[in-house]
Amino acid sequence: MEQAKCLIIGSGPAGFTAAIYASRANLAPVLYCGMQPGGQLTQTTTVENFPGYPDGIDGNAMMDDLRRQAARFGADIRDGSIERIDLSKRPFRAVDDSGREIEAQTVIIATGASAKYLGLDDEKKYAGQGVSACATCDGFFYRKKTVAVVGGGDTACEEAIYLAGLCAKVYMIVRKNYLRASDVMRRRVEENAKIEILFNHNTVGLFGENGVEGAHLLKFMGTDREEAVDIAIDGFFLAIGHKPNTDLFKPLLDTDEAGYIKTVAGTPRTNIPGVFAAGDCADPHYRQAVVAAGSGCMAALEAERFLAAL
C-alpha cells in the first residue's frame, strides 16, 4: 500500500497550484491528472485574463507551464484517474484506474466542472473557432461583432449582458417561449437594446468556412409551425449550465443540488476534516482560472496546517 501525505485529484489551475504549494511545503503530493489533463483551459485557444501573461497564452501551453512548475518542486504527477475512494476514516484510501492503492493523510479534490453542450457535431468542429462556454473568458475576442448566447436562465442572461457591453449585437437563443431567469435579470436583458431574444428557437447546426459565421435554427421545432431560420454570427456561446465532476464524491461529501462540493465559507474545507475542495468542482459562481488557482493555493496551505496539527 503506497503512503502519501497529500493526494491531489484533478489537474487544471486548481490542482497544479495545489501541487506547487504542497510540494514547497515538503508534503510530497501525488497528483492524478484525471480524464482531462489540464482541465477546461486545454479546450481554450488563447487565455488573456490570467495575470502574468501580458500577450496572452495558449491554454495548453499555460497548463504545461503549471505542470512543469509543480514537477520542478517534486510533485509526483501521474496520468490516469482515481476510480474509488474511501473517506470514512483516515488515512483515506484510494484506488486508481490501474488498481494501485494509496493511503493519504489529506486529499485535495480539484476535479473541475464540465460545460454542458447541445450535442451538435458542429460544436466540436468549431471548438476554439467561434464556439465557447465562457463569455468572460472569450468575449473580448468578439468586440464590435455579433454573437449568440444559448440558454434562458440567469447564467445566460448574465453572459448576454456581459457580451452586450463588448459586442455590436447579441442574440439569445431560447427554446422556450419565456426566460427562466429571475425577474431582475429578465428585465435587464429585455431593456438592453443590443440584445435580441429569439424565443421558441432551437439550434440545429453552425456554419462557416474559417470559423463560425452563422447558426442554423428551427423556430417552433417539431410543430406544424416549424420554420428554418439562419442568423449571421461570429461567436456562439453556450450558457446552459455546468456539471461539476464530483460523482465519485457525492455519497461521501456534502454537495449542493447541482453536485458542487460544499465548503466552509471562505475556506476549501469540506465536511470531512483533512479533505479539501478547490476550483470549479466547488465553485458554481466564478469559474475562472485565477480563482481556481487561488483556491488550489488555499487548499494546499490548509492541508499543510492540518498535518502540522496532528
Side-chain angles (χ1 to χ4, degrees):
M1 177 80 70
E2 182 179 359
Q3 305 293 319
K5 291 182 181 178
C6 181
L7 172 63
I8 301 172
I9 305 173
S11 46
F16 284 140
T17 302
I20 290 168
Y21 275 79
S23 297
R24 287 170 57 85
N26 294 319
L27 300 189
V30 174
L31 182 150
Y32 277 84
C33 287
M35 296 296 291
Q36 188 179 38
Q40 292 185 79
L41 284 190
T42 58
Q43 297 180 315
T44 301
T45 49
T46 302
V47 179
E48 290 196 326
N49 57 2
F50 197 94
Y53 297 100
D55 299 317
I57 185 171
D58 175 81
N60 284 279
M62 179 180 164
M63 289 302 98
D64 286 342
D65 284 348
L66 285 176
R67 179 174 181 146
R68 287 190 294 108
Q69 189 174 359
R72 174 193 164 203
F73 293 116
D76 182 350
I77 300 173
R78 303 173 181 178
D79 292 325
S81 302
I82 295 296
E83 295 291 311
R84 300 194 305 278
I85 192 164
D86 181 1
L87 301 177
S88 62
K89 61 182 179 179
R90 264 192 342 101
F92 308 115
R93 301 186 67 172
V95 180
D96 69 14
D97 50 8
S98 68
R100 180 185 298 183
E101 297 185 8
I102 303 170
E103 282 190 345
Q105 296 296 322
T106 60
V107 174
I108 295 174
I109 301 167
T111 46
S114 300
K116 295 179 182 178
Y117 287 81
L118 297 174
L120 305 174
D121 289 340
D122 288 338
E123 289 172 316
K124 298 178 182 177
K125 177 181 177 180
Y126 294 106
Q129 300 180 68
V131 172
S132 172
C134 181
T136 52
C137 305
D138 300 325
F140 183 79
F141 301 114
Y142 299 92
R143 287 173 298 169
K144 299 181 180 180
K145 295 184 178 182
T146 299
V147 300
V149 175
V150 180
D154 278 343
T155 298
C157 287
E158 288 172 4
E159 303 240 318
I161 292 166
Y162 175 82
L163 290 166
L166 298 169
C167 303
K169 183 178 180 64
V170 179
Y171 290 105
M172 282 192 73
I173 303 171
V174 183
R175 61 188 178 90
K176 298 181 181 291
N177 63 352
Y178 61 90
L179 293 173
R180 295 183 291 105
S182 60
D183 286 344
V184 63
M185 293 305 297
R186 176 180 54 78
R187 286 196 301 272
R188 287 176 184 171
V189 165
E190 292 173 346
E191 293 169 0
N192 195 309
K194 287 187 177 181
I195 300 174
E196 180 179 346
I197 307 172
L198 303 176
F199 290 114
N200 298 301
H201 283 70
N202 283 265
T203 307
V204 293
L206 302 169
F207 60 89
E209 292 295 321
N210 299 306
V212 172
E213 296 176 4
H216 298 302
L217 311 179
L218 282 181
K219 186 176 183 180
F220 299 118
M221 188 172 76
T223 73
D224 55 7
R225 301 165 63 192
E226 185 173 285
E227 175 187 352
V229 177
D230 283 357
I231 57 173
I233 55 174
D234 302 291
F236 184 77
F237 288 85
L238 282 301
I240 53 177
H242 285 72
K243 182 184 184 300
N245 303 321
T246 58
D247 288 349
L248 180 66
F249 312 103
K250 280 183 181 178
L252 312 169
L253 295 173
D254 289 343
T255 60
D256 67 10
E257 292 179 356
Y260 289 93
I261 297 172
K262 291 182 178 181
T263 56
V264 176
T267 81
R269 297 195 296 270
T270 69
N271 60 297
I272 297 178
V275 179
F276 310 95
D280 286 10
C281 67
D283 176 16
H285 302 295
Y286 299 107
R287 298 194 299 271
Q288 297 297 305
V290 68
V291 177
S295 67
C297 162
M298 293 165 63
L301 293 175
E302 288 281 354
E304 178 188 8
R305 292 167 183 169
F306 178 85
L307 291 170
L310 292 178

